[in-house]
PDB file of all heavy atoms in Angstrom:
ATOM      1  N   THR M  31     158.287 201.918 168.115  1.00 97.00           N
ATOM      2  CA  THR M  31     159.017 200.810 167.454  1.00 97.00           C
ATOM      3  C   THR M  31     160.455 201.251 167.177  1.00 97.00           C
ATOM      4  O   THR M  31     160.760 202.446 167.126  1.00 97.00           O
ATOM      5  CB  THR M  31     158.343 200.395 166.132  1.00 97.00           C
ATOM      6  OG1 THR M  31     158.517 201.417 165.159  1.00 97.00           O
ATOM      7  CG2 THR M  31     156.880 200.085 166.329  1.00 97.00           C
ATOM      8  N   VAL M  73     169.125 199.253 152.578  1.00 98.00           N
ATOM      9  CA  VAL M  73     169.065 197.799 152.821  1.00 98.00           C
ATOM     10  C   VAL M  73     167.634 197.344 152.973  1.00 98.00           C
ATOM     11  O   VAL M  73     167.232 196.337 152.414  1.00 98.00           O
ATOM     12  CB  VAL M  73     169.900 197.426 154.077  1.00 98.00           C
ATOM     13  CG1 VAL M  73     169.668 195.949 154.417  1.00 98.00           C
ATOM     14  CG2 VAL M  73     171.402 197.640 153.768  1.00 98.00           C
ATOM     15  N   ILE M 111     160.934 190.183 160.713  1.00 98.00           N
ATOM     16  CA  ILE M 111     161.393 189.739 162.011  1.00 98.00           C
ATOM     17  C   ILE M 111     162.849 189.279 161.897  1.00 98.00           C
ATOM     18  O   ILE M 111     163.169 188.431 161.028  1.00 98.00           O
ATOM     19  CB  ILE M 111     160.538 188.558 162.558  1.00 98.00           C
ATOM     20  CG1 ILE M 111     159.059 188.950 162.638  1.00 98.00           C
ATOM     21  CG2 ILE M 111     161.058 188.057 163.875  1.00 98.00           C
ATOM     22  CD1 ILE M 111     158.124 187.775 162.871  1.00 98.00           C
ATOM     23  N   THR M 122     175.168 172.470 161.813  1.00 89.00           N
ATOM     24  CA  THR M 122     173.946 171.776 162.165  1.00 89.00           C
ATOM     25  C   THR M 122     173.009 172.621 163.007  1.00 89.00           C
ATOM     26  O   THR M 122     171.799 172.546 162.933  1.00 89.00           O
ATOM     27  CB  THR M 122     174.262 170.455 162.892  1.00 89.00           C
ATOM     28  OG1 THR M 122     175.215 170.719 163.926  1.00 89.00           O
ATOM     29  CG2 THR M 122     174.829 169.422 161.930  1.00 89.00           C
ATOM     30  N   SER M 129     165.703 176.475 159.846  1.00 95.00           N
ATOM     31  CA  SER M 129     164.544 175.673 159.549  1.00 95.00           C
ATOM     32  C   SER M 129     163.376 176.033 160.464  1.00 95.00           C
ATOM     33  O   SER M 129     162.245 176.236 160.028  1.00 95.00           O
ATOM     34  CB  SER M 129     164.885 174.188 159.685  1.00 95.00           C
ATOM     35  OG  SER M 129     163.747 173.369 159.491  1.00 95.00           O
ATOM     36  N   LYS M 139     178.266 187.279 157.652  1.00 95.00           N
ATOM     37  CA  LYS M 139     179.392 188.202 157.635  1.00 95.00           C
ATOM     38  C   LYS M 139     180.415 187.905 156.593  1.00 95.00           C
ATOM     39  O   LYS M 139     180.816 188.770 155.784  1.00 95.00           O
ATOM     40  CB  LYS M 139     180.063 188.282 158.994  1.00 95.00           C
ATOM     41  CG  LYS M 139     181.296 189.179 159.014  1.00 95.00           C
ATOM     42  CD  LYS M 139     181.889 189.367 160.382  1.00 95.00           C
ATOM     43  CE  LYS M 139     183.117 190.290 160.292  1.00 95.00           C
ATOM     44  NZ  LYS M 139     183.646 190.630 161.629  1.00 95.00           N
ATOM     45  N   ILE M 209     156.395 191.573 166.335  1.00 97.00           N
ATOM     46  CA  ILE M 209     157.606 190.830 166.719  1.00 97.00           C
ATOM     47  C   ILE M 209     158.812 191.512 166.033  1.00 97.00           C
ATOM     48  O   ILE M 209     158.828 191.595 164.809  1.00 97.00           O
ATOM     49  CB  ILE M 209     157.522 189.346 166.391  1.00 97.00           C
ATOM     50  CG1 ILE M 209     156.290 188.740 166.964  1.00 97.00           C
ATOM     51  CG2 ILE M 209     158.772 188.644 166.862  1.00 97.00           C
ATOM     52  CD1 ILE M 209     156.166 188.899 168.470  1.00 97.00           C
ATOM     53  N   ILE M 226     172.955 168.744 169.442  1.00 52.00           N
ATOM     54  CA  ILE M 226     172.353 169.966 168.984  1.00 52.00           C
ATOM     55  C   ILE M 226     171.120 170.213 169.832  1.00 52.00           C
ATOM     56  O   ILE M 226     170.211 169.417 169.947  1.00 52.00           O
ATOM     57  CB  ILE M 226     171.943 169.894 167.508  1.00 52.00           C
ATOM     58  CG1 ILE M 226     173.172 169.544 166.661  1.00 52.00           C
ATOM     59  CG2 ILE M 226     171.335 171.206 167.049  1.00 52.00           C
ATOM     60  CD1 ILE M 226     174.357 170.481 166.802  1.00 52.00           C
ATOM     61  N   PRO M 263     177.369 189.171 171.638  1.00 85.00           N
ATOM     62  CA  PRO M 263     176.638 188.834 170.415  1.00 85.00           C
ATOM     63  C   PRO M 263     175.200 189.345 170.445  1.00 85.00           C
ATOM     64  O   PRO M 263     174.487 189.124 171.412  1.00 85.00           O
ATOM     65  CB  PRO M 263     176.653 187.298 170.381  1.00 85.00           C
ATOM     66  CG  PRO M 263     177.810 186.916 171.221  1.00 85.00           C
ATOM     67  CD  PRO M 263     177.937 187.966 172.271  1.00 85.00           C
ATOM     68  N   LEU M 278     169.980 203.099 170.863  1.00 96.00           N
ATOM     69  CA  LEU M 278     169.093 203.795 169.942  1.00 96.00           C
ATOM     70  C   LEU M 278     168.204 204.777 170.746  1.00 96.00           C
ATOM     71  O   LEU M 278     167.992 205.897 170.319  1.00 96.00           O
ATOM     72  CB  LEU M 278     168.237 202.796 169.193  1.00 96.00           C
ATOM     73  CG  LEU M 278     167.479 203.271 167.977  1.00 96.00           C
ATOM     74  CD1 LEU M 278     168.415 203.805 166.924  1.00 96.00           C
ATOM     75  CD2 LEU M 278     166.637 202.117 167.405  1.00 96.00           C
ATOM     76  N   PRO M 302     184.699 203.073 177.655  1.00 96.00           N
ATOM     77  CA  PRO M 302     183.254 203.239 177.758  1.00 96.00           C
ATOM     78  C   PRO M 302     182.791 203.707 179.118  1.00 96.00           C
ATOM     79  O   PRO M 302     183.472 203.414 180.133  1.00 96.00           O
ATOM     80  CB  PRO M 302     182.714 201.844 177.441  1.00 96.00           C
ATOM     81  CG  PRO M 302     183.808 200.900 177.827  1.00 96.00           C
ATOM     82  CD  PRO M 302     185.072 201.650 177.524  1.00 96.00           C
ATOM     83  N   MET M 307     178.868 192.934 180.565  1.00 88.00           N
ATOM     84  CA  MET M 307     179.490 191.634 180.256  1.00 88.00           C
ATOM     85  C   MET M 307     178.820 190.541 181.063  1.00 88.00           C
ATOM     86  O   MET M 307     178.305 190.799 182.150  1.00 88.00           O
ATOM     87  CB  MET M 307     180.975 191.658 180.560  1.00 88.00           C
ATOM     88  CG  MET M 307     181.777 192.671 179.770  1.00 88.00           C
ATOM     89  SD  MET M 307     183.586 192.450 179.958  1.00 88.00           S
ATOM     90  CE  MET M 307     183.850 192.933 181.661  1.00 88.00           C
ATOM     91  N   GLU M 313     184.620 187.507 185.576  1.00 86.00           N
ATOM     92  CA  GLU M 313     185.512 186.613 186.328  1.00 86.00           C
ATOM     93  C   GLU M 313     186.861 186.499 185.617  1.00 86.00           C
ATOM     94  O   GLU M 313     187.914 186.421 186.309  1.00 86.00           O
ATOM     95  CB  GLU M 313     184.826 185.244 186.477  1.00 86.00           C
ATOM     96  CG  GLU M 313     183.645 185.234 187.424  1.00 86.00           C
ATOM     97  CD  GLU M 313     182.750 184.062 187.270  1.00 86.00           C
ATOM     98  OE1 GLU M 313     182.921 183.276 186.299  1.00 86.00           O
ATOM     99  OE2 GLU M 313     181.851 183.873 188.117  1.00 86.00           O
ATOM    100  N   ALA M 316     188.948 189.520 186.521  1.00 90.00           N
ATOM    101  CA  ALA M 316     189.453 189.408 187.901  1.00 90.00           C
ATOM    102  C   ALA M 316     190.578 188.392 187.973  1.00 90.00           C
ATOM    103  O   ALA M 316     191.621 188.635 188.611  1.00 90.00           O
ATOM    104  CB  ALA M 316     188.336 189.018 188.856  1.00 90.00           C
ATOM    105  N   PRO M 435     163.841 194.618 192.915  1.00 93.00           N
ATOM    106  CA  PRO M 435     162.952 194.642 191.779  1.00 93.00           C
ATOM    107  C   PRO M 435     162.532 196.062 191.391  1.00 93.00           C
ATOM    108  O   PRO M 435     162.345 196.947 192.274  1.00 93.00           O
ATOM    109  CB  PRO M 435     161.730 193.851 192.307  1.00 93.00           C
ATOM    110  CG  PRO M 435     162.299 192.964 193.371  1.00 93.00           C
ATOM    111  CD  PRO M 435     163.398 193.744 194.024  1.00 93.00           C
ATOM    112  N   SER M 457     158.109 188.992 177.600  1.00 89.00           N
ATOM    113  CA  SER M 457     158.036 188.676 176.182  1.00 89.00           C
ATOM    114  C   SER M 457     156.679 188.149 175.836  1.00 89.00           C
ATOM    115  O   SER M 457     155.791 187.988 176.676  1.00 89.00           O
ATOM    116  CB  SER M 457     159.095 187.660 175.806  1.00 89.00           C
ATOM    117  OG  SER M 457     158.711 186.393 176.324  1.00 89.00           O
ATOM    118  N   HIS M 600     190.910 166.697 181.361  1.00 90.00           N
ATOM    119  CA  HIS M 600     191.952 166.650 180.309  1.00 90.00           C
ATOM    120  C   HIS M 600     191.641 167.626 179.180  1.00 90.00           C
ATOM    121  O   HIS M 600     192.451 167.771 178.260  1.00 90.00           O
ATOM    122  CB  HIS M 600     192.001 165.220 179.736  1.00 90.00           C
ATOM    123  CG  HIS M 600     190.659 164.728 179.238  1.00 90.00           C
ATOM    124  ND1 HIS M 600     189.628 164.438 180.116  1.00 90.00           N
ATOM    125  CD2 HIS M 600     190.161 164.525 178.010  1.00 90.00           C
ATOM    126  CE1 HIS M 600     188.595 164.020 179.473  1.00 90.00           C
ATOM    127  NE2 HIS M 600     188.876 164.112 178.146  1.00 90.00           N
ATOM    128  N   LEU M 616     176.742 176.068 181.452  1.00 84.00           N
ATOM    129  CA  LEU M 616     176.903 174.620 181.454  1.00 84.00           C
ATOM    130  C   LEU M 616     175.610 173.909 181.081  1.00 84.00           C
ATOM    131  O   LEU M 616     174.523 174.260 181.599  1.00 84.00           O
ATOM    132  CB  LEU M 616     177.322 174.162 182.862  1.00 84.00           C
ATOM    133  CG  LEU M 616     178.811 174.120 183.191  1.00 84.00           C
ATOM    134  CD1 LEU M 616     178.992 173.921 184.683  1.00 84.00           C
ATOM    135  CD2 LEU M 616     179.510 172.999 182.428  1.00 84.00           C
ATOM    136  N   ASN M 623     176.094 163.162 181.869  1.00 91.00           N
ATOM    137  CA  ASN M 623     176.004 161.913 181.089  1.00 91.00           C
ATOM    138  C   ASN M 623     177.296 161.638 180.337  1.00 91.00           C
ATOM    139  O   ASN M 623     177.763 160.506 180.286  1.00 91.00           O
ATOM    140  CB  ASN M 623     174.842 162.009 180.123  1.00 91.00           C
ATOM    141  CG  ASN M 623     173.505 162.000 180.799  1.00 91.00           C
ATOM    142  OD1 ASN M 623     173.337 161.462 181.908  1.00 91.00           O
ATOM    143  ND2 ASN M 623     172.505 162.620 180.176  1.00 91.00           N
TER     144      ASN M 623
END
Side-chain angles (χ1 to χ4, degrees):
T31 68
V73 171
I111 301 169
T122 47
S129 175
K139 176 174 181 173
I209 305 303
I226 304 304
L278 194 60
M307 298 191 291
E313 289 164 351
S457 73
H600 54 291
L616 272 168
N623 291 334

